[in-house]
Amino acid sequence: MRVLVTGGTGHSGSYIIPELIAAGHEVTGLARSDASAAALSALGATVRRGDLQNLDGLKEAAADSDGVVHVAHRQDLLPTGGMDAVAAAEIPVMLAYGEALAGTGKPLVVAGSVGSPGQLGRTATEEDPALFVDEEHRGTLRVRNVVETTVIGLAGQGVRSSVVRIANIAHGTSDRAGFLPMLIALAKERGFAGYPGDGANVWNAVHIRDIAPLFRLALEKGEAGRYWHAVDDEGIPFREIAEAIGSRLSLPAVSIPLDELMLPGYFGFIANIVTQSYPTSNAITREALGWEPTQPGLIADLDNGHYLPEGRS
């Protein structure tokens, strides 16, 4: 297929493009700068200059393609508008894709989050819809759920649209700004690796290299209106993550009391996130698409030399 990829030079996009090309697809990457254009060319993609604000250009690019993979975000809006602004800017983009692809049956695969079904008190599956978004959710990560529901809604307009929900931690050598580098930096700064309460709440993870085949499979044969789970480690107790970080830094793992002052005192702006539990299944994704993660799990990947160059004690 001729595939349009946005966010092609980012954490996941830089692996998705080579994956698509290796499978025989022709990839066009959207570039808003000379640096991005050079990076896309180096990955083997054809460069199309433009950005997410040029909706007419996006519609034209999508219409010229046999499918679209969208993993770009307006990160520049975060400092002033937060996630609300980022989500609001994505909706017109999704609708533009919808206009370009309506009635064609062409695939549109968009990056989402495993957190979108919310805290269910059980393991989340691909059949769980994204939680509804209202005014009370402004300023929270939940506001981006409206992007996912917009994408899923395009299936009713003849677009083979689907969402790849990415794990809390997408680890690998290109991970420079994710949750894992944050937790490592906090441990180094505080002198111990913290975990909330008893640390029994679970997080999920996936190697960034395993995400790329999933996007390709969703593009090639994913059904319309479906969620897919880019998750390998389906539920790691937070305490185990803290202990693994601590052991590799020769630092103790310490419980942070579930207190409104103590938690932010250690975790800062991610205090409300680290207390949540995100058990997530990938069974439907594996069965429907034949996706099989092959890369190291989270704990093993801490020894890859990127996160902790000093090595394990």
Side-chain angles (χ1 to χ4, degrees):
M1 288 186 280
R2 294 168 299 156
V3 185
L4 173 67
V5 176
T6 66
T9 61
H11 183 38
S12 58
S14 58
Y15 293 102
I16 291 171
I17 287 179
E19 172 75 21
L20 293 173
I21 292 174
H25 301 296
E26 299 177 15
V27 177
T28 296
L30 191 69
R32 62 177 179 176
S33 68
D34 292 341
S36 293
L40 288 170
S41 294
L43 291 171
T46 298
V47 176
R48 185 176 185 122
R49 297 303 291 259
D51 57 47
L52 299 181
Q53 295 169 272
N54 183 355
L55 298 180
D56 288 336
L58 280 178
K59 283 190 284 187
E60 182 179 321
D64 289 342
S65 303
D66 298 317
V68 177
V69 171
H70 180 90
V71 292
H73 304 295
R74 289 286 309 279
Q75 299 293 342
D76 58 300
L77 298 175
L78 278 173
T80 56
M83 189 55 67
D84 297 81
V86 175
E90 278 193 87
I91 298 302
V93 172
M94 300 305 125
L95 296 178
Y97 291 145
E99 288 184 43
L101 303 177
T104 66
K106 293 179 180 180
L108 167 65
V109 186
V110 177
S113 168
V114 294
S116 65
Q119 306 301 303
L120 303 173
R122 59 167 173 78
T123 299
T125 78
E126 295 88 334
E127 295 181 343
D128 293 311
L131 288 173
F132 178 74
V133 177
D134 208 342
E135 283 297 315
E136 64 183 288
H137 306 119
R138 289 180 62 84
T140 70
L141 293 176
R142 183 166 165 176
V143 296
R144 196 180 176 275
N145 286 9
V146 70
V147 178
E148 295 190 20
T149 55
T150 299
V151 172
I152 297 301
L154 293 176
Q157 299 178 29
V159 181
R160 187 158 58 85
S161 58
S162 63
V163 172
V164 173
R165 289 170 168 163
I166 298 175
N168 294 73
I169 297 176
H171 55 93
T173 54
S174 60
D175 181 16
R176 297 176 179 84
F179 280 118
L180 197 53
M182 288 185 197
L183 295 175
I184 292 170
L186 282 172
K188 289 180 176 180
E189 177 186 340
R190 308 294 187 185
F192 60 91
Y195 56 87
D198 61 7
N201 61 304
V202 299
W203 272 35
N204 50 69
V206 67
H207 196 287
I208 194 66
R209 289 187 180 274
D210 280 325
I211 288 178
L214 179 49
F215 272 90
R216 175 181 59 79
L217 290 167
L219 181 85
E220 292 174 343
K221 61 181 181 179
E223 296 178 2
R226 297 290 297 272
Y227 287 102
W228 311 111
H229 282 178
V231 172
D232 184 14
D233 292 306
E234 297 183 338
I236 309 173
F238 202 102
R239 179 171 181 167
E240 289 186 16
I241 298 174
E243 289 174 341
I245 292 171
S247 71
R248 287 155 176 80
L249 291 174
S250 297
L251 296 173
V254 178
S255 170
I256 309 297
L258 299 176
D259 179 270
E260 62 182 10
L261 295 178
M262 296 289 286
L263 276 176
Y266 181 89
F267 290 108
F269 72 95
I270 63 172
N272 291 331
I273 302 173
V274 299
T275 59
Q276 303 300 312
S277 197
Y278 302 92
T280 306
S281 171
N282 64 19
I284 293 175
T285 299
R286 285 175 179 262
E287 181 178 355
L289 298 181
W291 179 62
E292 289 295 336
T294 61
Q295 300 297 317
L298 172 62
I299 302 302
D301 203 29
L302 279 169
D303 294 322
N304 70 14
H306 169 70
Y307 289 110
L308 300 164
E310 56 267 48
R312 185 172 184 172
S313 61

